[in-house]
Amino acid sequence: MTTINMIGQPCPTPVVEAKKAMSQSGSSGVIVLVDNPIAVQNLEKMAKGTGCGFSWEQKGEGEFAVTILAGEPEGSPAVSQMQPAGNTGGITFFITGDQLGIGDEKPGKMLMKGFLYTLSQASVTPAALLVVNSGIKLTTQGSPVLDELQALSAKGTKILTCGQCLTYYGLEDTLAVGDVGHMLEMVEIMNAAPRVMTL
């Protein structure tokens, strides 16, 4: 089994390199060494999304060994991370900030709340919201738009928040809606989407 050292490597490098190693002919699995819990979570999502076995152990302070085994584990069918449920349209929104438009903060935040409320009330909702940078303040505890985002999630909109951004802002334990995502996953969703809009 191959071991790859991803200590110190930023998201989504550990996931990308793990996928490369797993694609090698005859690969039975890979052990990935990483240095943060977000990387462990991202590797788990990749493994489960492709029907692979997954386990991890902490080797020391700030070091984790993630084992990904080829093949579908018993009782854990592969689930595509790309398939949103519900009455969703094809559009995906890439949200890069916690306010809408460029200008003063107060109207920008009011506009974002109004926009997300309108989306949540529409008969056809977005396929996905991909949230990065200061946009993560929308999906974490204390956000003024959690009701709107939870309504969208209930209607089938996939909401992914950048794990690396959560760590940067010190909000990794405060996600209140949707799932933690990584850039490779977001790029794959955007590549599959018929329309992508950046906010």
Side-chain angles (χ1 to χ4, degrees), residues 1 22 27-31 47 50-55 66-73:
M1 187 178 296
M22 292 296 293
S27 174
S28 62
V30 62
I31 297 172
T50 54
C52 294
F54 171 87
S55 63
V66 174
T67 302
I68 300 172
L69 297 175
E72 186 173 321

Side-chain angles (χ1 to χ4, degrees), residues 138-140 146 149-151 153 159-161 174-180:
L138 301 173
T139 58
T140 48
L146 285 181
L149 293 177
Q150 287 165 351
S153 180
I159 301 174
L160 285 182
T161 298
T174 67
L175 188 66
V177 62
D179 298 305
V180 176

Side-chain angles (χ1 to χ4, degrees), residues 48-67:
K48 291 183 176 179
T50 54
C52 294
F54 171 87
S55 63
W56 67 274
E57 62 177 315
Q58 188 160 358
K59 290 291 191 181
E61 186 174 351
E63 183 175 335
F64 305 85
V66 174
T67 302

